[in-house]
Amino acid sequence: MIKKNVKGTLAGLTTAALIMPTLAMAESGGERDWDIDVSLILEGFYFNEVSSGNQTPAGFSDHDHGHDHGHDHDHSLSDGFNLGHSELVIESRLGDLLDGTLLIGFDEDHIEVEEAYLVTRALPAGFQLKGGKFLSDVGYMNSRHPHDWDFADRPLVNRFLFGDHGLQETGLQASWVAPTRTFTRFGVEVLQGDNGSFNRFMAAGGGHGNGHDHDHGGGHDHGHDHGNGHDHGHDHGGGHDHGHDHGGGHDHGHDHGSGHDHDHDHDHGHGHGGAPYSQQSAPRLFTAFVKTGPDLGPDHALQLGASTGYNRQVSRVEDHGHHAHALEGDAWFAGLDLAYRYDAGRAYGQGDWRVTSEYFHVWRNLDEHVEHGSWEKRESHRERQDGMYLEAVYGVAPRWQAGLRTEALGLTNKVVDFHPTEVESLSTSYRHSAQVTFRPVEPVFLRAQLSQNDFAAAGGERDRGLELMFQVNVALGAHGAHRF
Amino acid sequence: MRFMRNRGVGALALALLLSLPLPALAALNIVATTASLGMLANEVGGEQVSVTVLAAPDRDAHYLDARPSFMAALRRADMLLEVGAGLEEGWLPAAQRGAANPAVNSGRETHFVGASILPLRRSITMDGPNVGHVHAEGNPHFNVDPMRMASLGEALARRLARLDPAHAEAYHARAGALAETLREQTRQLAEGVAEQRIVVYHEDLDYLEEWLPVEVVGYLEPAPGIPPSARHLGELVGKLQGTEGRVLYASFQPAKGAEFLQRQLGWPATSVALEPQTPTLEGYLALMRDWVDALDAR
């Protein structure tokens, strides 16, 4: 709501410009265009794991080998107080031409440029180009930041198919808004493909390793060994090295103990004679989406979306000591999303409804290669996985909202397992959450959320866990308007 | 036969071509964020414009979603009319960006912002602590002042005349007539209102002071955008105990605080609309009469 002008800080520049009349002429009238909006989103959590269940859903942990995965969620919360996912957002305009956004995400021990992009504002006929690092516009939740969510955590389908930050990539997006009464927007994206294997534990990109060492070692070892029990004799010690360190000795010290090991482990497979396939060059990931929303009058608003994406090379290598397996191929996803809003027309959101749902399905066409001294190609397999969620939030009283969310991950859950190499059909995992949110003033919300995880393990056994979260989220400064 | 058929096709193509609206001849497609601005566009633009209003008249224009239908309307707009001063800050920038239409970009001549043309009253938020609403440029609810609306209509005519010089005279003439009607109505209605003190819910009705003999002596909200608290209402009652006046609040604002004052002070509480039901002069004149009817007559 605030427009912070940097006129003051630019006063010196303007003075300098006035010395040079020609430059001053060029600047005149442009001063207004140097608005910079800066906002800081601060978030805190109090987390309590009431009862502990399986930590990762079957088919979405690192090949379910029975190594101990401990708490390997990247953004996992520890019992007690946690600094959540905070953000510094800087938005500015280059006159009429471009909008620029820089979004830096941070927590206690980790800072990352989450988004840094430019969007055109001057292209005619409904066209828009976006370039840089950004959150893909596929689906509904993917491009939204935690501050904008109705629940304290990312939906499972988004987190386990696209990653802890969603499908967040460097690349280009072109979109077109049709000049129709019913809002319709088409878009395509060409993305680097660093995290696009559509299952975050199955690293993409031709043996690059891509830093999917979700290693959270020390301290979070809760010993949830629910796997299949083939421990292949690796020393996974305290460090959960799920990575792609194939014996070359470049283990980049995965025992950090405090999460966020985003190492780019470039050590691929020396111990086993290189990768059995040639690496495709980036960009590797291509997406397309369409969003449409009819005019339903002042009370109702609806947006429907469909999206698809293709990664031309995904792979994973599994080192079994005396031999190794590799799977390599391409991957597709397709999804549908829906966002419905009811505006009751009463103050402070009382009586309003927000209903959101998404479904995504992933296919991976993979060739198996086995190495006993040299790589040998075997059969082809098709993996399929999917997931969905449905959430509804209601304004129970002025400034108070309550919501329910139900999620399923792996309704179809067909992934390759070795010994024998075959496509296994794993069980479905579920999560059910309830939240109550209070907004004392507009930029602040307090939320209590209770989640029951009903995750299947690879062996099929289920184990329920119950988590309680208290969230505080504050937006300071000039935080931009939220999209629909 | 063949020749005939070709001529037939040609004639059909020509007819189709002629039936397509040519940009130069088509009405100027104006999107207004509120019904009051829509009224100005309709009255000043006349037949040369076609007007779409985004915010329904019974909704609080502070709190709307950047819904798909808004983006669709802005996508096809030749011109955008905005109140400004932060009123639409929570949703309009997102809708403008989503529309992918340079004509509605902030800073363009086709983006008309009332608050940057008119002198505004100070907003409480300019002095108060930084919570709730922030309107650093002033109080954005100038649509409650018909005199300012008359001036804004004239400013809109000047802007339309620059964009569409062919109809400049018509724009100026219509804006002049509109201003005259509004000023005349203002004078007449003001004469019928007794001097009185009022408490309003939000600073949205402050502009009544500009043309009616009323004095705003308190707000039900402790600060703009913050709902009434028991403590604040108690203080208000303490301050106003034993005096006379009225309580006004907008139809979308909760009645509880106003009813509390009515019980405690005996001040009649009335809910009023803030925007015309139809974006026309007729609708706006009816709104002016509603405001006056909610007050004590002379």
Side-chain angles (χ1 to χ4, degrees):
Chain A
M1 304 293 132
I2 326 156
K3 271 275 184 191
K4 272 221 176 64
N5 239 300
V6 289
K7 275 178 194 161
T9 46
L10 288 178
L13 287 175
T14 315
T15 315
L18 284 171
I19 301 167
M20 293 166 281
T22 46
L23 192 60
M25 288 287 276
E27 292 286 303
S28 70
E31 194 187 3
R32 178 188 52 214
D33 296 333
W34 273 101
D35 286 352
I36 291 186
D37 290 345
V38 179
S39 62
L40 184 62
I41 312 277
L42 292 175
E43 188 180 67
F45 274 102
Y46 181 85
F47 178 76
N48 184 238
E49 194 171 36
V50 181
S51 66
S52 173
N54 287 337
Q55 295 300 310
T56 44
F60 294 88
S61 51
D62 188 7
H63 346 187
D64 297 297
H65 264 283
H67 342 130
D68 172 10
H69 295 293
H71 264 282
D72 59 1
H73 23 151
D74 215 0
H75 288 222
S76 67
L77 299 167
S78 321
D79 265 346
F81 295 106
N82 293 262
L83 183 63
H85 179 81
S86 298
E87 291 173 357
L88 176 68
V89 191
I90 301 173
E91 292 168 288
S92 187
R93 295 183 60 186
L94 184 63
D96 206 13
L97 296 174
L98 295 167
D99 284 350
T101 301
L102 172 66
L103 195 144
I104 294 169
F106 59 93
D107 59 21
E108 279 139 321
D109 46 25
H110 173 239
I111 181 161
E112 188 183 346
V113 174
E114 292 196 356
E115 293 196 275
Y117 62 84
L118 296 169
V119 188
T120 61
R121 288 298 290 262
L123 294 187
F127 288 97
Q128 220 164 37
L129 279 175
K130 184 175 188 174
K133 184 175 185 186
F134 55 89
L135 292 165
S136 167
D137 269 330
V138 299
Y140 182 80
M141 206 65 89
N142 193 75
S143 57
R144 274 151 189 87
H145 287 273
H147 166 68
D148 202 6
W149 297 346
D150 285 325
F151 285 80
D153 46 11
R154 187 177 286 278
L156 292 175
V157 60
N158 188 272
R159 178 173 143 213
F160 284 100
L161 293 186
F162 296 136
D164 288 322
H165 296 281
L167 195 58
Q168 178 197 47
E169 289 270 353
T170 303
L172 277 175
Q173 179 195 75
S175 67
W176 179 63
V177 180
T180 48
R181 195 167 287 275
T182 292
F183 175 75
T184 311
R185 176 173 180 243
F186 299 91
V188 291
E189 294 167 329
V190 179
L191 305 168
Q192 196 69 1
D194 282 345
N195 65 4
S197 63
F198 319 137
N199 183 333
R200 68 177 190 132
F201 287 101
M202 300 182 181
H208 245 302
N210 280 318
H212 283 264
D213 283 323
H214 288 270
D215 171 16
H216 299 282
H220 287 297
D221 188 347
H222 285 220
H224 296 282
D225 187 346
H226 293 287
N228 280 346
H230 358 215
D231 188 342
H232 296 281
H234 291 283
D235 177 15
H236 286 283
H240 314 292
D241 183 352
H242 306 309
H244 304 272
D245 183 357
H246 301 290
H250 285 280
D251 187 337
H252 293 280
H254 296 292
D255 297 350
H256 283 290
S258 52
H260 292 297
D261 186 350
H262 280 275
D263 273 354
H264 282 259
D265 185 348
H266 285 285
D267 172 26
H268 17 266
H270 303 304
H272 287 287
Y277 43 84
S278 58
Q279 192 191 317
Q280 304 240 7
S281 62
R284 284 183 292 267
L285 178 54
F286 310 89
T287 73
F289 58 85
V290 57
K291 295 175 193 304
T292 183
D295 185 355
L296 300 175
D299 296 342
H300 309 275
L302 176 69
Q303 180 179 282
L304 300 169
S307 52
T308 183
Y310 173 67
N311 193 326
R312 58 196 175 118
Q313 188 170 42
V314 300
S315 64
R316 60 183 193 267
V317 177
E318 211 173 277
D319 183 356
H320 290 182
H322 44 87
H323 70 284
H325 299 270
L327 290 167
E328 188 264 348
D330 57 14
W332 282 93
F333 73 81
L336 296 170
D337 57 275
L338 171 154
Y340 167 78
R341 305 287 179 258
Y342 174 71
D343 180 356
R346 297 167 72 178
Y348 313 109
Q350 189 179 10
D352 291 358
W353 278 98
R354 298 167 59 84
V355 178
T356 312
S357 184
E358 288 182 75
Y359 173 81
F360 276 96
H361 199 112
V362 173
W363 298 263
R364 281 180 292 272
N365 301 304
L366 301 168
D367 293 331
E368 190 208 4
H369 304 260
V370 177
E371 193 260 17
H372 287 278
S374 66
W375 288 102
E376 177 195 328
K377 186 173 165 181
R378 292 208 181 149
E379 286 166 74
S380 298
H381 304 277
R382 170 174 263 210
E383 293 187 331
R384 288 175 58 188
Q385 292 183 301
D386 66 356
M388 62 85 63
Y389 70 91
L390 170 65
E391 63 180 47
V393 176
Y394 178 67
V396 287
R399 299 180 293 153
W400 284 88
Q401 295 173 320
L404 293 172
R405 177 180 67 186
T406 183
E407 301 176 82
L409 190 65
L411 293 157
T412 302
N413 199 0
K414 295 184 169 147
V415 294
V416 171
D417 190 43
F418 302 108
H419 307 288
T421 303
E422 61 184 12
V423 176
E424 267 195 318
S425 193
L426 302 173
S427 305
T428 309
S429 293
Y430 300 94
R431 183 170 70 178
H432 310 287
S433 312
Q435 64 96 337
V436 176
T437 303
F438 174 56
R439 293 177 190 268
V441 290
E442 225 180 311
V444 176
F445 68 81
L446 308 165
R447 178 175 290 150
Q449 180 175 323
L450 190 66
S451 287
Q452 187 206 45
N453 303 324
D454 177 12
F455 289 174
E461 62 273 33
R462 319 190 67 83
D463 199 358
R464 293 201 169 105
L466 198 62
E467 292 175 350
L468 184 62
M469 277 183 264
F470 294 99
Q471 182 188 15
V472 180
N473 190 297
V474 180
L476 302 164
H479 191 59
H482 285 161
R483 295 194 297 152
F484 184 80
Chain B
M1 273 308 279
R2 190 185 174 123
F3 174 73
M4 287 285 283
R5 193 160 61 215
N6 279 349
R7 261 178 59 144
V9 170
L12 189 68
L14 190 67
L16 276 173
L17 195 68
L18 288 176
S19 70
L20 286 175
L22 294 174
L25 302 173
L28 206 58
N29 200 343
I30 298 184
V31 171
T33 57
T34 65
S36 294
L37 294 179
M39 176 277 284
L40 292 184
N42 276 319
E43 297 304 325
V44 176
E47 284 170 6
Q48 275 77 48
V49 302
S50 106
V51 180
T52 307
V53 175
L54 298 183
D58 60 343
R59 299 299 151 96
D60 188 346
H62 289 100
Y63 304 106
L64 293 173
D65 286 320
R67 45 177 60 196
S69 57
F70 290 3
M71 293 188 280
L74 289 170
R75 164 69 177 87
R76 291 173 297 132
D78 299 311
M79 189 176 186
L80 167 63
L81 270 51
E82 182 189 346
V83 172
L87 182 73
E88 303 100 330
E89 196 66 25
W91 54 276
L92 189 60
Q96 282 171 284
R97 188 191 277 204
N101 176 7
V104 301
N105 279 356
S106 297
R108 289 242 173 156
E109 197 161 44
T110 44
H111 179 221
F112 181 85
V113 184
S116 52
I117 291 162
L118 293 173
L120 302 183
R121 288 174 65 102
R122 277 189 79 75
S123 166
I124 302 164
T125 65
M126 294 160 80
D127 309 313
N130 184 1
V131 291
H133 296 177
V134 180
H135 300 297
E137 294 144 79
N139 183 329
H141 303 283
F142 59 76
N143 78 299
V144 176
D145 177 10
M147 307 293 273
R148 278 185 171 81
M149 293 301 281
S151 306
L152 194 61
E154 287 165 335
L156 179 61
R158 289 192 291 276
R159 185 70 65 90
L160 285 170
R162 277 209 297 278
L163 297 171
D164 176 21
H167 298 99
E169 258 176 61
Y171 296 135
H172 288 303
R174 283 191 292 254
L178 171 69
E180 200 176 320
T181 310
L182 288 175
R183 288 177 182 135
E184 174 61 22
Q185 277 292 311
T186 303
R187 200 182 51 75
Q188 278 184 21
L189 288 170
E191 275 175 8
V193 174
E195 275 190 31
Q196 57 200 294
R197 288 142 57 90
I198 57 172
V199 164
V200 296
Y201 188 95
H202 180 68
E203 60 176 358
D204 45 15
L205 288 167
D206 282 15
Y207 281 91
L208 287 179
E209 281 186 349
E210 302 284 303
W211 61 289
L212 293 172
V214 297
E215 186 194 353
V216 176
V217 292
Y219 301 92
L220 297 178
E221 290 177 319
I226 310 295
S229 61
R231 199 180 77 169
H232 176 72
L233 291 178
E235 282 171 9
L236 209 53
V237 166
K239 190 179 90 176
L240 300 170
Q241 198 69 255
T243 64
E244 284 189 9
R246 283 180 166 267
V247 186
L248 298 188
Y249 60 101
S251 43
F252 52 77
Q253 289 159 352
K256 256 165 90 178
E259 285 163 358
F260 177 77
L261 255 66
Q262 186 164 12
R263 281 197 306 276
Q264 298 292 316
L265 296 173
W267 290 27
T270 316
S271 89
V272 295
L274 291 184
E275 291 286 338
Q277 287 307 302
T278 57
T280 57
L281 177 60
E282 202 175 286
Y284 190 79
L285 293 177
L287 180 66
M288 286 171 70
R289 282 192 296 275
D290 281 356
W291 291 328
V292 166
D293 289 346
L295 296 166
D296 284 325
R298 189 191 290 273

